[in-house]
Amino acid sequence: MPYTAHFRDSISAVEATRPNRLSEKADKLTAAGRTDILKAYHPDYRQDSARPIRVGPNRGEKVLKELADILERRPSVSGSEAAAGPAQEADVLIVGGGGSGCAAALEAHKAGAKVIIATKLRLGDANTVMAQGGIQAADKANDSPALHYIDVMGGGGFWNDPDLVEKLVIDAPGVVEWLESLGCVFDKEPDGTMRTEHGGGTCRKRMHAARDYTGAEIMRVLRDEVRSRGIKVLEFSPAVELLTEKGHAAGAVLLNMSTSMHETVRAGSVILSTGGSGRLHYGGFPTSNHYGATADGLVLAYRAGVKLRFADTMQYHPTGAAYPQQILGLLVTEKVRGLGAQLVNRDGKQFIYPLETRDVVASAIIRECSERGMGVPTPAGGRGVWLDIPMIESIKGKGSVKRDLPAMFRQYDRYGIDISKEPVLVYPTVHYQNGGLAITSDCATTLPGLYASGEVTGGVHGRNRLMGNSLLDILVFGRIAGRSAAEWGRRNRPANPGISHLDGWNRLLAEAGIAESAAAPILLPDYRRKR
Ligand code: MEZ
């Protein structure tokens, strides 16, 4: 659906201001300016965004409302159902078949462990494949892990766990080399060195990309490697409960989605790499996330006593598609701004430095569309601001949009919009779960034998992640989790695990007067009910 007449005047304003804007640099905000805009406009700061959770290890602490509602639900499986189904055995059970789960599996397998991956949909159906713009690593002569560290801490508002950040930035160059050794094709300069770009909040160009489908390229090689090493994968088999024995994690109860029956995997250790929770549509926002991003790992681990960190904060990617309606909330990669595109309001005026951190840019867009009334209304009743992608053609040369952003080009071309010639309308979209399970730098949770890696964890990114540090995080910590879990799992095979830890949980629900009839994990979002 090309732009209707409704948009024409505003697009003309964007085109009219473009020549002058090409040489216009928006000022960066001061530290105080950033704090002010976050407090006034970021959804995390809305009075009603979070509430005290009534049960579990974070009892009394503020948790995002939608997440608290899911965490307080009852379990979906009884002890007899859990015990009835077929059982398999492994040293290490990995729950989640995205980038982090696969990285963990490869390392655990390399360490000699018998590994099973159980995943909700198909291997690789995860947020990893949807990450577009790149992966950060300080591997250029003008950069260093120390500079990367400072950027990560600054982006996260200095709330980040310093030990986790240290691991992240120090392991980063090695992770990129490892990916290349597996066959991952990154963008290169004509001389064969890595091509790198800026992301929001980075002081150096350290974003390594495969055009604008970096996550898909990474997932391609990880999936191939898991398959070619013969690692066992159970697809359409989400975990619905952890198994425990003597206070240790000891496997999981799975739901076989083909038969609707429960099965179990008994394992010496378990890694949760279940990803995030964007499909809870926090604050009623659309999301860039995969359908499976429904907080399953948080639910399972929380019930088993694992504490959450930063459960009151989500990341809203500033540039979700606001039009056409068919792609509402899908990602318009930050790489677009890294290549030079500006954000402008309905009059074609730039209102924010485009590479401020995501929380700040998202807040500025919300301000422009609300208090300032300078957003562009959509026919479906939404609003947005323009991301002026055609600027890239002037900065990087004719044909650069199609060359560097082929996925983005196709996403809009389907609807008759040529992004090398026309701007796109954007508005913040739920993108990343900043918080999650508390882990040590060995990826251990507080439940012995239970490890976690990737978006299900909290602490690495503080209250706001920088672009390209998620693909990095899932691989750095996925690999560490694989090694740690292999070590533990080979020494601690369970004898007779079960779900008796739920007795305590059910008691807590009753004591708190929670008579919730719905069960969790929810596994998939239910859009029918909302309609
Ligand atoms: O790290 C991300 O979230 C990412 C690479 C997203 C993007 O804008 O492309």
Side-chain angles (χ1 to χ4, degrees), residues 131-134 315 317 331-335 358 431 465-470:
Q132 298 173 346
Q315 175 165 92
H317 194 294
L331 190 61
V332 179
T333 175
E334 187 168 321
K335 183 172 180 181
R358 286 181 174 168
H431 183 60
R465 178 177 63 77
L466 298 184
M467 170 192 182
N469 279 340
S470 174

Side-chain angles (χ1 to χ4, degrees), residues 67 70-71 120 274-278 280 282 292-300 433 456 521-522:
L67 179 59
I70 293 283
L71 291 173
K120 178 153 51 181
T274 47
S277 59
L280 300 188
Y282 295 93
T294 50
D296 305 358
L298 299 184
V299 169
L300 269 48
Q433 177 181 285
V456 73
I522 60 170

Side-chain angles (χ1 to χ4, degrees), residues 42-46 49-50 64 312-316 434 463:
H42 194 280
D44 280 357
Y45 288 85
R46 284 188 194 155
S49 71
L64 290 169
D312 58 342
T313 159
M314 275 305 281
Q315 175 165 92
Y316 297 78
N434 290 320
R463 296 184 161 273

